[in-house]
Amino acid sequence: MPIATASTCVEDAVNSRRGDLVELSHAIHAEPELAFAEHRSCAKTKALVAERGFEISAVADLDTAFRAVFGGGPLVVGICAEYDALPGIGHACGHNIIAASAVGTALALADVADTLGLTVVLLGTPAEELGGGKALMLDAGAFDDIAATVMLHPGPIDIAAARSLALSEVTIGYTGRESHAAVAPYLGINAADAVTVTQVAIGLLRQQLVPGQMVHGIVTDGGQASNVIPAHAELRYTMRATNSESLRELESRMAGCFAAGAVATGCEHVVAETAPAYAELSPDPWLAEMVRAEMVRIGRSPVPAELEPTLPLGSTDMGNVTQVMPGIHPIVGIDAGGASIHQPEFTAAAVNASADAAVVEGAIMLARTVVALAESDVERSRVLEQWQRRAS
């Protein structure tokens, strides 16, 4: 009778926990929680690995972040679990699938950690949608001992070497002076007018944006009463670009638009970042090819490699991680009836049969990819040497 390989063992381990993993995915989906307030989702994500004997610790002062560690091998691999939802539409980005698949990956790798010389680190990473949990955790040292990090994300199609856009988000506050809108409007300084001028300037700028750059925003405060000249108004804008260098150039041009509203109306204005900037994803080529092979082996049809750079899937703070160490963030397709992420229809699809399959198959793909890394002398040495250079 043939001896089971480590790859077979991790696949069997995931399949044996299918019921628990699907239940976890549905439980997180049923109680959506927003950035930095994912207390129930965080606790649910920790429960299964705590039972398995993972040592769990907090990260800095982030209430809903954690590290769960198993094993003591020299190759330390991180698996990121996200579990925050979107305001109003719940888990329309499928973070319930991400968390459950990450737990499945960690549980499976725990079974072979001693054999492969692994330390398995499940990272609970809050506030991906807004807040940059991973960027904050990087700064807090939560990734310092990790040589490579993996995770997956659901979407409408399978993408092995998924890309993303660099992102920054700011609020722009304008301060003018109140006055009665009919009796003495000339005594007022209209902050809402500053918002209008700014939005017109941004609308005109869009024609000259470099390909790959984009901006989108909302008015968060436009005044409180129609008969009072508003002294306060606020915008929130997100800027994206293909890479961080292009993003910096876009930020500079947008700063001129923000200032234009203040200059035209006589208002004061303040621009403030809402969260750390997100870098673009830089998937590790070797790890991505392992994931691609796993997708094909399971029966999926990943997008051809030459098309992947043309299909950036929004922005993610996992980009910050992949700029520091080898990592992957593949997209695992689910049947959402033509809907894409951040649509209510995707929320509903995130607990259908295809979503449940993505939890299990995604965990298998990630676990087998880590096994391949651990068993390849060349690739294992490569990531460990990169970590040593980073740590020194």
Side-chain angles (χ1 to χ4, degrees):
M1 187 171 183
I3 298 173
T5 65
S7 293
T8 301
C9 286
V10 295
E11 183 162 1
D12 290 344
V14 172
N15 282 323
S16 72
R17 302 303 293 265
R18 176 187 175 88
D20 293 332
L21 300 176
V22 170
E23 182 181 357
L24 172 60
S25 174
H26 287 221
I28 293 173
H29 186 277
E31 294 187 282
E33 298 169 297
L34 303 183
F36 299 118
E38 316 97 323
H39 298 286
R40 293 185 298 274
S41 300
C42 178
K44 292 170 185 175
T45 303
K46 289 190 285 190
L48 291 176
V49 293
E51 292 174 4
R52 179 64 177 84
F54 280 66
E55 295 183 7
I56 299 176
S57 59
V59 176
D61 57 353
L62 299 173
D63 290 343
T64 54
F66 69 87
R67 276 173 50 105
V69 180
F70 189 97
L75 178 59
V76 185
V77 175
I79 307 117
C80 287
E82 297 173 2
Y83 30 67
D84 59 318
L86 289 156
I89 53 175
H91 279 290
C93 213
H95 289 193
N96 56 300
I97 297 169
I98 297 173
S101 67
V103 168
T105 303
L107 290 172
L109 290 173
D111 286 355
V112 296
D114 289 344
T115 303
L116 297 179
L118 283 175
T119 296
V120 183
V121 183
L122 176 66
L123 296 137
T125 63
E128 187 276 335
E129 295 292 354
L130 176 63
K134 294 183 194 64
L136 297 174
M137 292 172 71
L138 274 167
D139 289 343
F143 290 83
D144 284 357
D145 60 341
I146 294 174
T149 302
V150 302
M151 66 170 290
L152 58 78
H153 198 294
I157 55 178
D158 291 294
I159 308 176
R163 305 303 205 276
S164 71
L165 299 171
L167 169 151
S168 63
E169 183 180 85
V170 296
T171 58
I172 312 96
Y174 294 96
T175 301
R177 184 169 63 238
E178 295 96 340
S179 186
H180 195 290
V183 175
Y186 50 85
L187 296 178
I189 299 176
N190 196 317
D193 285 352
V195 164
T196 299
V197 172
T198 295
Q199 290 185 306
V200 170
I202 292 170
L204 294 172
L205 174 64
R206 281 192 169 98
Q207 184 180 357
Q208 276 74 47
L209 291 180
V210 173
Q213 293 179 344
M214 61 180 70
V215 297
H216 39 97
I218 59 172
V219 178
T220 57
D221 182 4
Q224 303 302 314
S226 62
N227 61 353
V228 178
I229 299 295
H232 301 283
E234 185 177 272
L235 293 164
R236 177 177 292 167
Y237 261 84
T238 298
M239 296 161 280
R240 303 183 198 250
T242 52
N243 56 56
S244 296
E245 181 181 358
S246 180
L247 180 63
R248 298 290 88 77
E249 188 269 342
L250 174 60
E251 289 171 338
S252 177
R253 300 183 76 182
M254 287 288 285
C257 296
F258 302 149
V263 171
T265 59
C267 288
E268 300 292 329
H269 84 297
V270 175
V271 180
E273 288 188 338
T274 63
Y278 290 8
E280 68 276 13
L281 278 168
S282 179
D284 182 81
W286 188 87
L287 292 173
E289 285 308 304
M290 293 301 100
V291 169
R292 189 187 314 280
E294 284 298 318
M295 287 179 169
V296 173
R297 186 187 70 86
I298 287 173
R300 292 178 174 266
S301 300
V303 168
E306 61 271 20
L307 294 182
E308 290 172 337
T310 70
L311 299 170
L313 194 78
S315 304
T316 172
D317 54 4
M318 184 62 177
N320 299 51
V321 177
T322 64
Q323 293 294 327
V324 174
M325 69 186 70
I328 46 170
H329 181 280
I331 307 302
V332 179
I334 70 170
D335 180 7
S340 190
I341 58 174
H342 291 210
Q343 292 190 296
E345 295 84 358
F346 201 89
T347 306
V351 284
N352 67 20
S354 70
D356 295 346
V359 169
V360 176
E361 293 177 3
I364 290 170
M365 288 188 287
L366 290 183
R368 287 176 60 99
T369 295
V370 173
V371 168
L373 173 65
E375 291 184 331
S376 168
D377 292 340
V378 171
E379 298 303 324
R380 182 187 183 106
S381 295
R382 174 178 68 90
V383 300
L384 284 173
E385 287 169 5
Q386 288 185 32
W387 171 77
Q388 287 165 353
R389 287 196 297 270
R390 176 162 55 93
S392 62

